[in-house]
Amino acid sequence: MLKGAPPLRDILPNGVPRRVGIAVSGGGDSMALLRVMQDIVAGKSIKLAVATVDHGLRPEAAQEAAVVSSQCAALGVEHSTLLWTDRPEAGNLQAEARRARYGLLAKWARESGLAVVLLGHTADDQAETVLMNLSRGSGVDGLCGMPAEFHRDGVRFLRPFLAVKRDDLRDYLRSIGQDWIDDPSNEDPRFARVRARQLLAELSQLGLTRERLLDMSERMKDAGEVLHANMALLAQSVELHVGDVLLPDDTFYSAPRDTRHRLLAAILKLLSGNDYRPRFRPLCDLAASGEGVLHGCLLRRQGGMLRVSREAAALENVTARPGETWDCRFRVSGPAVPGDEVRAMGKAALDPLPETRDLTIPRSSLMASPAIWRDGRMIAAPLAGIGEEWKAETAWNRTDFIESLLSR
C-alpha cells in the first residue's frame, strides 16, 4: 500500500458506492491512483471503471490509451477511451481541452452509472497551481489551489492525492513493478505548468518550497470559508424575475467589496453557464459602475435594484426544442410542430408589442427571453405576450438558485 494514501472513508466520505470511476492517462499519478484503489476496494462490493481521454492533440495519444486499456484488461478493470472530436478552430486550445476532458468524463460517468470520478492530481500539482495563480495575481480563491472535491455537469469529482507527493507515487509503482507512461509534454517549457515546475525548483532555494505553498493554500482555504459565509448572507437578498436576477442597490453597495464581488461573480457564472468566473478587473469595474456587459450578461440599475440579465448577443446560437430547458433558465411549451426551435427573441423585442404584455419586463430582458421560431419566423414570445397558447416557465425557483450560487 502507498505510504500516505488516504483511507476509503476519506476518499469516499459519503458512503460506499457500487461503482467508482477513475480518470487514467497512463502517467505515474493516475496509474498509481488505479493501483491504490484496487488495493483499497479489494474484498469490497465496489467495481472500478477507468476512462482515458484522447484529445487527439498528440500522435502518441491513441497508442497511450491503448496501453492503458491493455493494462486495465490485465488487471480485470473495465476501460473506456473517450475521444474529443469537436475541437475548436481557434482560441485557447489548452483551456478548451481541459473543459472538454471534464465534459467527456462527466458524460461517461452518467452513462456508466458511476457515483464519483477520481482524479490523480498530487501535492506537486497543487503547489504548481498555487504558484501559477500567484503569478496571475489571483486572490484568496485562486491561492486555495484545486479543490479536493467539485461537481461538473451533475457528476462528483474527487482528488484524493492532493496531499501525496509525486515522487512517492513513482516509488510505489516501482515497488509493485508497475510501468507508467511519461508524457513528453510534461517537460515542454512552452506550457505554463512546466515552467512553474521548473521555477519552483529554483524558488525552493529561497524557502518558497512546495510545503510552504501548500501551507499557504490551506490558510487561504480557511479565509475563503469566512468570505464565502459573508457572501451567503448577502445572497439572501437575491430575487428572481422572469429569468433575471435582482439585487437591492443599497444592500449590495453597503456590503464589503470582496463580498459583493463574490456574489456578482457567482451570479454571472451561474446565469451564463460559464465554467469560470469573470476576470477580476472587469468584474471590479462592473460592480463599481452598476452598468455594463460581462460574461454574456447585462447589468443595469432600475428602480433601486440592480438587474442582471442575459445579454441577447450572447444567445444568438443558443437553441433548444420546445419542452427542453433553454439557456438554463426557461422551459417553453405549447402547440409545437416538428422543426420548431426555441431561440432568443432578439431585436423582435424592439418592435411594437401587445399592450397586454407585462410592462415590468424591460425590453433588454425581452430581447434575451425565449421565443419560438418556425421556418425562420418568430411565431410566439410568451414573456412579450405573443402567442397565447405558448408558456415559458422559469427553470429555477429562488431557493434552488441561491443554493446553486453558494455551491462551490
Side-chain angles (χ1 to χ4, degrees), residues 19-32:
R19 285 167 57 78
V20 173
I22 308 175
V24 179
S25 66
D29 302 341
S30 59
M31 188 56 70

Side-chain angles (χ1 to χ4, degrees), residues 64-298:
E64 291 169 359
V67 169
V68 177
S69 179
S70 176
Q71 292 183 340
C72 285
L75 296 170
V77 177
E78 171 190 333
H79 178 270
S80 301
T81 298
L82 312 179
L83 301 176
W84 187 28
T85 58
D86 55 347
R87 292 188 296 277
E89 295 289 335
N92 187 333
L93 192 58
Q94 292 299 316
E96 291 297 332
R98 182 169 56 252
R99 185 178 294 109
R101 177 164 63 252
Y102 289 124
L104 289 168
L105 288 170
K107 183 174 183 289
W108 165 70
R110 292 193 303 270
E111 293 176 349
S112 304
L114 303 174
V116 64
V117 176
L118 306 184
L119 306 171
H121 297 111
T122 67
D124 299 81
D125 294 313
Q126 184 72 299
E128 291 158 11
T129 297
V130 173
L131 182 60
M132 291 165 63
N133 289 344
L134 180 63
S135 72
R136 296 172 182 139
S138 295
V140 171
D141 292 342
L143 298 182
C144 289
M146 295 180 288
E149 176 177 347
F150 65 97
H151 290 76
R152 183 71 57 85
D153 297 336
V155 173
R156 181 176 172 227
F157 289 85
L158 295 177
R159 296 181 172 109
F161 279 178
L162 284 183
V164 182
K165 299 175 184 177
R166 187 178 292 139
D167 287 345
D168 289 342
L169 295 179
R170 270 56 174 182
D171 290 343
Y172 163 73
L173 290 175
R174 293 186 188 97
S175 73
I176 63 173
Q178 174 65 59
D179 293 332
W180 68 89
I181 300 168
D182 284 320
D183 182 350
S185 67
N186 288 333
E187 303 299 326
D188 190 339
R190 289 179 300 172
F191 298 108
R193 183 168 292 278
V194 174
R195 296 196 299 273
R197 186 174 306 151
Q198 296 169 344
L199 181 60
L200 185 56
E202 297 179 19
L203 291 175
S204 63
Q205 301 176 34
L206 298 175
L208 189 57
T209 62
R210 172 185 55 207
E211 288 71 26
R212 286 280 175 85
L213 287 169
L214 294 177
D215 285 346
M216 180 179 69
S217 171
E218 289 302 314
R219 292 198 297 273
M220 291 299 103
K221 288 175 186 175
D222 291 341
E225 291 297 328
V226 176
L227 296 173
H228 187 74
N230 290 340
M231 187 195 84
L233 293 176
L234 183 59
Q236 300 308 311
S237 64
V238 163
E239 298 291 343
L240 301 183
H241 181 232
V242 292
D244 292 353
V245 181
L246 304 180
L247 281 164
D249 191 296
D250 55 352
T251 302
F252 181 77
Y253 283 106
S254 65
R257 191 171 69 157
D258 179 87
T259 305
R260 58 181 186 261
H261 287 170
R262 283 173 178 271
L263 180 58
L264 182 56
I267 291 171
L268 295 175
K269 180 181 172 183
L270 186 55
L271 268 189
S272 68
N274 202 303
D275 291 336
Y276 301 99
R277 288 174 45 143
R279 292 189 177 276
F280 179 67
R281 184 51 55 194
L283 177 68
C284 292
D285 294 342
L286 181 68
S289 67
E291 303 276 348
V293 174
L294 184 63
H295 233 43
C297 296
L298 172 67

